[in-house]
Amino acid sequence: MRFASGGENDGVRPGGPGPRLCILDGLRLLAALMVVLYHYTSLNGGWNRDPRLLFPGIEPITRYGWLGVEIFFLISGFVICMSAWGRSLGDFVVSRAGRIYPAYWVAILLTGGVVMLWPEVRSVAGPETVFTNLTMLQQGLGVWDVDGVYWTLFVELKFYVLFALVVARGVTYRRCVIFCGVWTLAAAIAPTADSRLLTLWTTPFAAPYFVAGIAYYLMHRYRPTALLWGIVAISYLLANHQVAKRVHDNANHATALFPAQAMVFAIFAVMALVALGTFDRVRWRWLTTAGALTYPMYLLHQYIGMTIIYALRETVPPLPLVTGLITVMLGAAWLMHRYVERPLGRRLRSALRRGMEDIRHSGAAPALDGLPLLNEPRRSDRVGAVRSEGG
């Protein structure tokens, strides 16, 4: 068994991926801070009172911070298409697993420990819930997420699985466009198709952002075309259609729809500028560091932060408490990145690469050290077989 390598470019001359787009790191940090501020200043959470009374100056804005999730999905479509180009399926799996799991595992254990010891703002059924969450597949099993933000990771994971179908054949311009068209159509009909399976996999509210991100990357790598602008336009209209439901799902009180719609338009407009190369000259090194902190901060902030708010809400004023807590979370994110993501990620990728090599070269899982496989041939037979294969 061999994993497919990257495919041809369908006769389209690529402009090349170019250097790292630091602006995307900055946008990721902005998205993460939007979500953090939404959780800390717009939800009752650990305050146990109406946040509008605590943050009258900023809550009318931060109540829309959940749109940071949409920004993440839009950027993800762009970045995943870019990073998967020219890679085999095995390399794609190794890259994604090494990126998302190490910090996630540690965050699960830390958050699970906190909410089990101090269940004031969140509780879990028991250690088995925490262990199931380590798979990142808990939603498919009907198990609650240990932390509220983890539902978005399952959405992201489904996107990886779907896009892996393209990677398996080799990522090309044509295949990406076909993928965008098929996913858009499937997501559009899913709500009325009366199929839970189709709705589960197409994720209608998130699909327009992923699809638009892919189209934006194709613009950036090649050139803008009427076809790609058409994909983006349809994605925007479908995303805008979902805004009303998203506002309803994330509001604890009457919330105006227009600001959310305006923010969605702004998200698409900024990514259009990224696709057209407007920010290619942005080379601020601190943005790369900021981007590295985004994922661990996102994983750690919600229920750990709300538990801290609950403990300190009567002794520290609200605004200083939130400011200090965000600073603490950024520091914890740096520690997570430096001592978990980087070293554990490298080890996990190395281990997975060895496993992929075994699949590529032998077509079967290797025997465990010191434990022969059932019906394993004698050593002389194995040596003769290797020689006959030219090994």
Side-chain angles (χ1 to χ4, degrees), residues 190-275:
T192 57
D194 195 25
S195 171
R196 293 182 62 185
L197 184 62
L198 183 64
T199 301
L200 172 69
W201 279 103
T202 59
T203 323
F205 94 90
Y209 297 96
F210 289 120
V211 168
I214 294 171
Y216 279 137
Y217 176 68
L218 294 177
M219 290 185 193
H220 189 267
R221 184 180 179 95
Y222 296 93
R223 65 181 183 275
T225 67
L227 175 61
L228 295 178
W229 282 121
I231 293 173
V232 168
I234 292 173
S235 296
Y236 166 71
L237 293 174
L238 292 174
N240 188 68
H241 174 73
Q242 297 285 343
V243 170
K245 184 178 186 303
R246 290 282 288 153
V247 169
H248 178 269
D249 291 344
N250 287 280
N252 297 321
H253 44 76
T255 302
L257 181 60
F258 175 74
Q261 293 174 322
M263 292 177 71
V264 170
F265 179 82
I267 292 167
F268 273 78
V270 170
M271 283 302 296
L273 295 176
V274 173

Side-chain angles (χ1 to χ4, degrees), residues 93-208:
V93 171
V94 168
S95 172
R96 290 299 89 204
R99 175 71 180 90
I100 66 175
Y101 272 108
Y104 174 75
W105 287 332
V106 174
I108 283 287
L109 297 177
L110 289 175
T111 303
V114 167
V115 298
M116 283 194 290
L117 290 173
W118 298 283
E120 283 79 8
V121 299
R122 176 77 163 99
S123 61
V124 295
E128 66 278 1
T129 299
V130 177
F131 297 150
T132 303
N133 269 247
L134 291 173
T135 67
M136 206 179 286
L137 301 174
Q138 61 273 11
Q139 288 189 34
L141 300 172
V143 176
W144 277 37
D145 297 310
V146 167
D147 200 295
V149 299
Y150 294 163
W151 69 269
T152 64
L153 302 182
F154 190 57
V155 174
E156 187 86 8
L157 192 62
K158 287 186 289 184
F159 167 51
Y160 296 164
V161 173
L162 292 175
F163 198 70
L165 300 175
V166 180
V167 179
R169 295 291 306 278
V171 182
T172 66
Y173 187 102
R174 181 185 295 117
R175 288 168 186 159
C176 287
V177 169
I178 293 173
F179 175 81
C180 290
V182 172
W183 194 8
T184 297
L185 181 61
I189 67 174
T192 57
D194 195 25
S195 171
R196 293 182 62 185
L197 184 62
L198 183 64
T199 301
L200 172 69
W201 279 103
T202 59
T203 323
F205 94 90

Side-chain angles (χ1 to χ4, degrees), residues 27-28 30-32 34 66-77 209 263 267 271:
L27 291 175
R28 273 195 289 249
L30 172 64
M34 287 173 61
W66 49 267
L67 280 164
V69 171
E70 274 76 346
I71 297 177
F72 278 132
F73 291 157
L74 189 53
I75 294 174
S76 183
Y209 297 96
M263 292 177 71
I267 292 167
M271 283 302 296

Side-chain angles (χ1 to χ4, degrees), residues 41 51-63 319:
T41 67
R52 289 177 294 178
L53 304 176
L54 301 174
F55 307 98
I58 64 172
E59 195 278 335
I61 300 173
T62 60
R63 69 177 62 172
L319 196 56

Side-chain angles (χ1 to χ4, degrees), residues 24-45:
L24 295 181
D25 293 316
L27 291 175
R28 273 195 289 249
L29 180 63
L30 172 64
L33 290 174
M34 287 173 61
V35 175
V36 171
L37 285 170
Y38 167 68
H39 288 149
Y40 288 175
T41 67
S42 188
L43 299 183
N44 292 352

